[in-house]
Coordinates of all heavy atoms in Angstrom, one line a residue:
Q19 N -29.9 -12.8 -57.7 CA -30.4 -14.2 -58.0 C -31.9 -14.2 -57.9 O -32.5 -15.3 -58.1 CB -29.7 -15.2 -57.1 CG -28.2 -15.2 -57.3 CD -27.6 -16.1 -56.2 OE1 -28.3 -16.7 -55.5 NE2 -26.3 -16.1 -56.2
P26 N -46.1 -12.8 -65.7 CA -47.1 -12.3 -66.6 C -47.4 -13.3 -67.6 O -46.8 -14.3 -67.8 CB -46.3 -11.1 -67.3 CG -44.9 -11.4 -67.1 CD -44.8 -12.1 -65.8
Y101 N -66.6 -67.8 -76.3 CA -66.7 -68.6 -75.1 C -66.4 -67.8 -73.9 O -67.1 -67.9 -72.8 CB -65.9 -69.9 -75.1 CG -66.2 -70.8 -76.2 CD1 -65.3 -71.7 -76.8 CD2 -67.6 -70.9 -76.7 CE1 -65.6 -72.5 -77.8 CE2 -67.9 -71.8 -77.7 CZ -66.9 -72.6 -78.3 OH -67.2 -73.5 -79.3
L118 N -75.6 -72.0 -55.9 CA -74.8 -71.7 -54.6 C -75.7 -71.0 -53.6 O -75.2 -70.6 -52.5 CB -73.6 -70.8 -54.9 CG -72.6 -71.3 -55.9 CD1 -71.5 -70.4 -56.1 CD2 -72.0 -72.7 -55.3
T138 N -53.2 -66.4 -74.4 CA -52.6 -66.2 -75.8 C -51.9 -67.4 -76.3 O -51.2 -68.1 -75.6 CB -51.6 -65.0 -75.7 OG1 -52.3 -63.9 -75.2 CG2 -51.1 -64.6 -77.1
E160 N -65.8 -72.7 -59.6 CA -66.1 -74.0 -60.0 C -67.5 -74.1 -60.6 O -67.7 -74.8 -61.6 CB -66.0 -75.0 -58.8 CG -64.6 -75.2 -58.3 CD -64.5 -76.1 -57.1 OE1 -65.6 -76.4 -56.5 OE2 -63.4 -76.6 -56.8
V186 N -65.8 -79.2 -77.7 CA -66.1 -79.5 -76.3 C -65.2 -78.7 -75.4 O -64.1 -78.3 -75.7 CB -66.0 -81.0 -76.0 CG1 -67.0 -81.8 -76.8 CG2 -64.6 -81.4 -76.3
M315 N -33.1 6.7 -36.4 CA -32.4 8.1 -36.8 C -32.0 8.8 -35.6 O -30.9 9.4 -35.6 CB -33.5 8.9 -37.6 CG -33.7 8.4 -39.0 SD -34.7 9.6 -39.9 CE -34.6 8.9 -41.6
S321 N -31.7 15.1 -34.4 CA -32.9 15.4 -33.6 C -34.1 15.0 -34.5 O -34.1 15.4 -35.7 CB -32.9 16.9 -33.3 OG -32.8 17.7 -34.4
N342 N -51.8 11.5 -25.5 CA -52.2 12.0 -26.9 C -53.4 13.0 -26.7 O -53.9 13.4 -27.8 CB -52.8 10.7 -27.6 CG -53.0 11.0 -29.1 OD1 -52.1 11.5 -29.7 ND2 -54.2 10.7 -29.6
S343 N -53.7 13.5 -25.5 CA -54.7 14.5 -25.4 C -54.3 15.8 -25.9 O -55.2 16.6 -26.3 CB -55.2 14.6 -24.0 OG -54.0 14.9 -23.2
P377 N -63.9 15.9 -36.2 CA -64.9 15.2 -37.1 C -64.5 15.3 -38.5 O -65.1 14.5 -39.3 CB -66.2 16.1 -36.8 CG -65.7 17.4 -36.4 CD -64.4 17.2 -35.7
G455 N -39.1 5.6 -51.8 CA -38.9 4.2 -52.0 C -40.0 3.4 -51.1 O -40.9 4.0 -50.5

Side-chain angles (χ1 to χ4, degrees):
Q19 301 174 4
Y101 296 151
L118 299 179
T138 306
E160 290 180 346
V186 294
M315 286 186 169
S321 59
N342 195 50
S343 59

